[in-house]
Amino acid sequence: MKVSWNWLEDWIDLSDLSVTQVVDKLTLAGVEVASVTEIYDPKIVVGRIDEIQPHPKADKLVMCRVDVGESELKNIACGAKNMVAGDLVPVALDGAKPPGIDFEIVSRPVAGVVSEGMLCAEEELGLARESAGLWILPKGLTVGQNIFDATKTRDVVIEVELTPNRSDCLSHLGIARELAALFERELRCPDVPPLTSSALAIGEVASLEVRDAQGCPQYGMAVLENVKMGPSPEWLRHRLAKVGSRSINNVVDVTNYVLLHVGQPLHAFDLDKVEGGIVVRRAQPGESMQGIDHKTHTLDENDLVIADHTRAVAIAGVMGGEGTEVTDTTTRVLIECAQFHPTTVRKTAKRLGLHTESSHRFERGIDAKAVMSNLELAVALMVGVQAGDVAPVVRSGRLTHVAAEPVNPVVDVSAGRVNQILGTNLSTDDVASLLGRLGIQSVVDGAQVRATIPSWRPDLSRPIDLTEEVARIYGYDKLLPTSPRIPMGHIHRTRVQPGHAPTIITRSRLGHVRRIRTSLLNLGFAEAMNYSFYGEDDQRLLGLSEDDVRAQPRRVANPLAADQALMRTTLLPGLLKALATNVSRRQKRLALFESGRAYLATGEQEHVSGVAFGSRLGHIGEPRDWDFFDLKGVVETLAEPFSGAIRWSSQCDEPFLHPGVRAVAYKGEVAIATVGQLHPQITRTLDVEKPVFYFDVDVDALTKLGEQEHKYVAMTKYPAVERDFAFVVGRDVPFAKLDAAIRSASDWLESVSLFDVYTGPQVPDDKQSCAVAVAYRAPDRTLTDVEIQEVDAAIVESVAKATGAVLR
């Protein structure tokens, strides 16, 4: 938002303040100043063209002899054609830096002839967005006088960056209100010329019907006849140009001026192109409209439109239609001044991809109590800037719709709470006084300040909002560091509500998550942080079946983008995007994890997921690529503090994992993790050449197991006995079953490991030979040969009974 210093002075006296004082005060109060541009240069003066001659070497240029108040005339090359000898024009002398261009003027040869400056158009002086030729100045100005002083156009333009809640500052009035509060000055109201209406009633030529009072709480319209279209007066064109608005004509310029003056968007219709009257309604199915941007916009049934009796003529709060826009031939103008519901405008503008000055203000909220007075201001200004000698006819009466009179909300705040948050020592009267400087009328009621929120501050609705306002006006620079006062013995508490997640994370739960994150960081993984949203394409890439609960995501009501329309049901899509981004940037190795919530229709779940591909750096020797067993070990490391030993099963049906390289980890009958290689179709889609391995841990299921109690066990001084067994077992028997049978054979079992699987000759086709290394040890003595033989026999018997296996 750009504001002009001269324009601000219509509202407030700034004559004794410097630009630095104003800029510093605004920034410290939270209205950040992005840039300051001075519309001034001491080396640009009024010049008189005494002679014009053709350029000797360039057909499109002329050489002008210009008097700039010095002893000698200046020779200046010029390409414009709209001047004659005797005209007064702006002249940029050697060393000038005109505000509208980004280079310095120097005396230099132009097509072989030295030019000693530049003759300027309004555009080059920052006083117009575009110009057809030189700025021909009015007669009577003093030659050699500074151009900005002579034309009273010297100014300073301040650009502020506003947070979305500060819609009240999207106008010169809004910034003036801030300055009035910060410098404790009176806000004055600019003079508006008195308006005389004709005896002709507006109801004879127009009608108004509002069918959607929720989408349009207020709508007002006025009619001007005998309008003479033409360029706006110089003061209006210059004011608009300084803040970046292009002058179009005297009608449209007034609507833009009011928008920048008081923050009220307006629209002007050519009344002769409106069929029957104005109807405010929702769009009809399949309806479309040609906008003033000359594009056809297909409307939705939720879009609010301004229509006549045959078609939509404007998208409410966003853009007018080409079919009813004012042109050079317009003689009757219908002015619209309305209030539209912010959510309605925001959804329509977002869906259509249209962000306009009007939608920017409507979707943030305008001053609801000033709508009709702003309409009167617009009518008065439009009458005052007409191009003809005959004033336009203003139809008497106004067609208005007000669903309900706007009500100023009341918010209570206590000085004690303000002081507790800000570390100040303000009294109740101090708080009321500081709020009063912002136009917030307050009444002290005991220890409370009862504040009536003004209509131009729709962002203030809670006591904490008023506390922030007190801090801004009191001065952030006056807030001293203070130690917070917290009651001893406080513990985390969760507030459980049906259908809602707990409000906070308990200390124990937070400790569990931190332990898992720390373990992954120690294992060489980097942490990724992604949005909790993804798009339809991400959903389809996973290939989930329709009955999978993860294939039924919750939809975001008003997504910021198409690829953020769904709440994530798994952390994998975000990791895949991070993976694809890093691969596209030629990363050869990657190990990422993310911890966060998955949002399922059945509730929220805490997960930790990770992906790895490429080589992993080893401490000794050459690097090697990540593989399935690396991530299997990662999961076992994460699970060990909670579950101890876990059971693995190859019975995994995740569609996004390779059918032959995937497994599920169980503790008892509870699935706690999944590990596998991403399906080759997914890696091809992501343009990743090497295999990508993935793990996912259900943190909720894991932590419910509780932490393992770690006990000290002394190292035994007695030797272990090692035995190798080769069991012939059915191919459909998982090793986990074989392992469990071996371990159940004796309390002396210390370790069981599979070191070979053989299929082929000497083994039936439906069987496989599993070679297992077993170690057992007694804690209090060396096992005898008889005891060893008994354990060997027990193992063979237990395995045969559990799996039907026989020794090979």
Side-chain angles (χ1 to χ4, degrees):
M1 171 72 190
K2 292 182 178 181
V3 292
S4 154
W5 184 281
N6 293 345
W7 200 336
L8 284 174
E9 287 206 300
D10 286 354
W11 293 104
I12 184 174
D13 181 12
L14 303 175
S15 58
D16 61 330
L17 298 175
S18 68
V19 175
T20 301
Q21 287 176 294
V22 168
V23 167
D24 289 348
K25 205 76 167 178
L26 284 173
T27 301
L28 285 174
V31 182
E32 183 181 354
V33 175
S35 66
V36 177
T37 303
E38 188 174 12
I39 308 295
Y40 178 74
D41 192 298
K43 294 186 177 181
I44 305 177
V45 300
V46 176
R48 183 181 65 246
I49 302 174
D50 284 358
E51 184 181 350
I52 302 176
Q53 295 292 337
H55 193 289
K57 296 182 180 180
D59 294 340
K60 295 184 178 180
L61 299 177
V62 296
M63 294 299 300
C64 299
R65 299 272 291 167
V66 184
D67 183 358
V68 294
E70 298 180 0
S71 57
E72 296 183 1
L73 301 180
K74 300 287 185 181
N75 289 312
I76 301 176
C78 183
K81 304 296 183 184
N82 66 319
M83 69 288 192
V84 297
D87 281 343
L88 298 180
V89 294
V91 182
L93 302 176
D94 192 17
K97 296 179 181 179
I101 58 179
D102 57 359
F103 57 86
E104 182 178 330
I105 304 302
V106 294
S107 295
R108 63 184 179 88
V110 176
V113 179
V114 174
S115 176
E116 300 176 288
M118 184 177 79
L119 307 185
C120 299
E122 289 172 288
E123 180 181 0
E124 286 138 2
L125 300 180
L127 302 177
R129 290 285 298 276
E130 56 187 35
S131 302
L134 298 182
W135 183 13
I136 307 301
L137 300 172
K139 302 296 183 182
L141 299 183
T142 303
V143 172
Q145 186 182 7
N146 181 270
I147 183 65
F148 299 101
D149 292 334
T151 58
K152 295 182 172 54
T153 54
R154 183 172 181 172
D155 204 350
V156 174
V157 175
I158 301 172
E159 183 175 9
V160 295
E161 292 185 350
L162 301 171
T163 51
N165 63 305
R166 293 307 306 272
S167 61
D168 61 300
C169 286
L170 288 168
S171 67
H172 285 77
L173 170 58
I175 298 297
R177 281 198 185 106
E178 281 290 294
L179 295 174
L182 295 171
F183 290 102
E184 297 187 71
R185 304 202 169 186
E186 182 182 356
L187 189 71
R188 58 195 181 196
C189 185
D191 293 333
V192 177
L195 186 64
T196 302
S197 299
S198 71
L200 302 173
I202 188 174
E204 298 173 359
V205 294
S207 63
L208 172 64
E209 179 186 0
V210 176
R211 297 178 184 173
D212 192 328
Q214 182 178 1
C216 177
Q218 296 186 74
Y219 194 98
M221 49 192 267
V223 168
L224 282 75
E225 297 180 318
N226 194 30
V227 172
K228 181 68 173 179
M229 303 295 292
S232 295
E234 204 170 71
W235 70 267
L236 178 54
R237 290 189 287 106
H238 288 174
R239 278 201 168 182
L240 293 177
K242 288 176 185 178
V243 296
S245 184
R246 181 170 62 93
S247 176
I248 298 173
N249 57 52
N250 51 3
V251 170
V252 175
D253 287 358
V254 166
T255 64
N256 291 333
Y257 181 86
V258 173
L259 178 139
L260 296 168
H261 192 52
V262 296
Q264 173 68 59
L266 301 162
H267 187 67
F269 298 93
D270 187 328
L271 183 58
D272 291 323
K273 299 175 183 176
V274 176
E275 300 290 340
I278 293 296
V279 180
V280 184
R281 58 171 172 80
R282 298 286 172 167
Q284 298 170 353
E287 191 171 12
S288 63
M289 190 200 77
Q290 188 90 358
I292 58 174
D293 59 353
H294 309 300
K295 296 179 181 179
T296 300
H297 301 285
T298 302
L299 303 175
D300 184 90
E301 294 179 29
N302 294 317
D303 296 334
L304 188 70
V305 299
I306 311 303
D308 60 15
H309 291 177
T310 61
R311 71 204 190 281
V313 296
I315 304 170
V318 180
M319 180 176 286
E322 185 179 41
T324 55
E325 88 178 296
V326 294
T327 64
D328 292 343
T329 61
T330 298
T331 59
R332 299 200 302 165
V333 174
L334 186 154
I335 307 173
E336 165 197 283
C337 187
Q339 175 196 4
F340 300 113
H341 195 280
T343 303
T344 301
V345 175
R346 182 169 59 250
K347 287 182 176 180
T348 297
K350 186 69 177 177
R351 189 184 63 79
L352 295 175
L354 296 173
H355 183 79
T356 63
E357 292 287 351
S358 292
S359 68
H360 187 77
R361 286 161 175 78
F362 276 127
E363 63 191 30
R364 286 160 173 76
I366 64 169
D367 186 348
K369 285 197 170 182
V371 173
M372 297 309 166
S373 61
N374 289 335
L375 175 61
E376 298 303 318
L377 171 64
V379 173
L381 287 171
M382 209 165 286
V383 170
V385 300
Q386 286 303 294
D389 296 332
V390 180
V393 174
V394 179
R395 287 265 175 174
S396 65
R398 299 286 181 264
L399 294 179
T400 60
H401 157 79
V402 179
E405 286 297 328
V407 177
N408 296 85
V410 176
V411 178
D412 290 344
V413 63
S414 69
R417 182 59 175 159
V418 169
N419 291 327
Q420 182 183 17
I421 294 171
L422 302 182
T424 52
N425 190 28
L426 300 172
S427 68
T428 306
D429 289 336
D430 291 336
V431 172
S433 176
L434 290 168
L435 293 175
R437 287 163 58 177
L438 287 164
I440 302 174
Q441 297 180 358
S442 303
V443 175
V444 175
D445 184 6
Q448 296 286 325
V449 176
R450 179 153 293 177
T452 301
I453 308 301
S455 57
W456 60 82
R457 291 301 302 271
D459 58 309
L460 304 181
S461 59
R462 304 168 300 166
I464 193 64
D465 297 330
L466 296 182
T467 302
E468 182 181 4
E469 295 304 297
V470 170
R472 290 194 319 107
I473 304 305
Y474 178 72
Y476 289 125
D477 54 326
K478 296 180 183 177
L479 300 181
L480 302 177
T482 56
S483 299
R485 300 178 63 185
I486 303 174
M488 297 296 292
H490 177 74
I491 61 171
H492 282 293
R493 299 181 186 274
T494 58
R495 183 173 67 250
V496 180
Q497 295 176 303
H500 294 273
T503 57
I504 61 173
I505 300 177
T506 62
R507 281 198 178 97
S508 61
R509 178 61 173 277
L510 189 61
H512 294 158
V513 174
R514 284 177 175 169
R515 170 176 287 183
I516 292 171
R517 291 177 63 252
T518 302
S519 296
L520 286 166
L521 292 170
N522 293 339
L523 290 168
F525 282 76
E527 185 171 11
M529 294 184 181
N530 297 302
Y531 290 118
S532 299
F533 317 103
Y534 60 77
E536 298 280 1
D537 292 342
D538 303 313
Q539 176 80 17
R540 284 190 289 269
L541 184 62
L542 301 182
L544 300 171
S545 62
E546 292 183 0
D547 57 348
D548 192 320
V549 67
R550 293 170 300 177
Q552 302 159 13
R554 300 175 180 179
R555 294 191 172 273
V556 179
N558 186 27
L560 296 175
D563 61 352
Q564 297 181 9
L566 308 175
M567 295 294 292
R568 68 183 180 191
T569 57
T570 167
L571 275 59
L572 180 55
L575 290 170
L576 292 182
K577 287 183 178 180
L579 172 69
T581 299
N582 280 274
V583 169
S584 69
R585 294 175 181 173
R586 302 184 182 277
Q587 291 291 330
K588 302 299 182 184
R589 63 177 67 94
L590 190 70
L592 288 177
F593 80 92
E594 181 177 10
S595 63
R597 290 184 177 274
Y599 301 90
L600 306 174
T602 54
E604 299 179 12
Q605 294 180 356
E606 190 79 22
H607 282 254
V608 171
S609 301
V611 291
F613 92 103
S615 61
R616 59 175 303 177
L617 297 176
H619 295 291
I620 301 176
E622 294 296 323
R624 65 174 182 81
D625 285 352
W626 288 90
D627 61 21
F628 169 83
F629 295 100
D630 288 324
L631 267 69
K632 176 175 176 287
V634 166
V635 169
E636 290 173 344
T637 301
L638 300 181
E640 191 276 333
F642 302 97
S643 65
I646 56 178
R647 174 174 62 86
W648 288 94
S649 171
S650 59
Q651 302 301 313
C652 175
D653 57 359
E654 293 287 23
F656 48 81
L657 296 179
H658 192 298
V661 191
R662 58 189 182 186
V664 179
Y666 288 90
K667 181 63 178 180
E669 299 303 317
V670 179
I672 60 173
T674 303
V675 174
Q677 178 185 335
L678 286 183
H679 199 288
Q681 183 176 346
I682 293 179
T683 53
R684 282 195 298 271
T685 302
L686 299 176
D687 200 21
V688 182
E689 297 178 356
K690 291 187 176 182
V692 178
F693 297 93
Y694 163 78
F695 74 85
D696 175 70
V697 177
D698 185 338
V699 176
D700 290 329
L702 182 63
T703 55
K704 282 180 182 178
L705 299 174
E707 294 191 52
Q708 288 288 103
E709 183 179 355
H710 295 276
K711 295 182 179 180
Y712 166 76
V713 178
M715 293 182 65
T716 179
K717 59 184 178 180
Y718 301 102
V721 177
E722 298 180 352
R723 286 286 191 268
D724 292 344
F725 297 88
F727 293 105
V728 178
V729 65
R731 291 194 180 191
D732 59 343
V733 176
F735 174 71
K737 193 171 184 180
L738 197 66
D739 178 83
I742 293 172
R743 292 182 185 275
S744 66
S746 173
D747 293 336
W748 293 334
L749 260 294
E750 190 173 71
S751 65
V752 180
S753 61
L754 177 70
F755 65 87
D756 185 51
V757 177
Y758 172 75
T759 58
Q762 303 176 358
V763 176
D765 292 341
D766 61 339
K767 305 288 185 181
Q768 59 185 348
S769 174
C770 296
V772 183
V774 179
Y776 29 92
R777 186 197 317 253
D780 56 349
R781 67 186 186 283
T782 301
L783 293 174
T784 66
D785 289 344
V786 173
E787 290 173 324
I788 293 170
Q789 290 171 5
E790 289 176 351
V791 175
D792 290 346
I795 289 174
V796 173
E797 181 182 356
S798 176
V799 170
K801 185 181 296 183
T803 67
V806 297
L807 278 177
R808 183 177 171 192

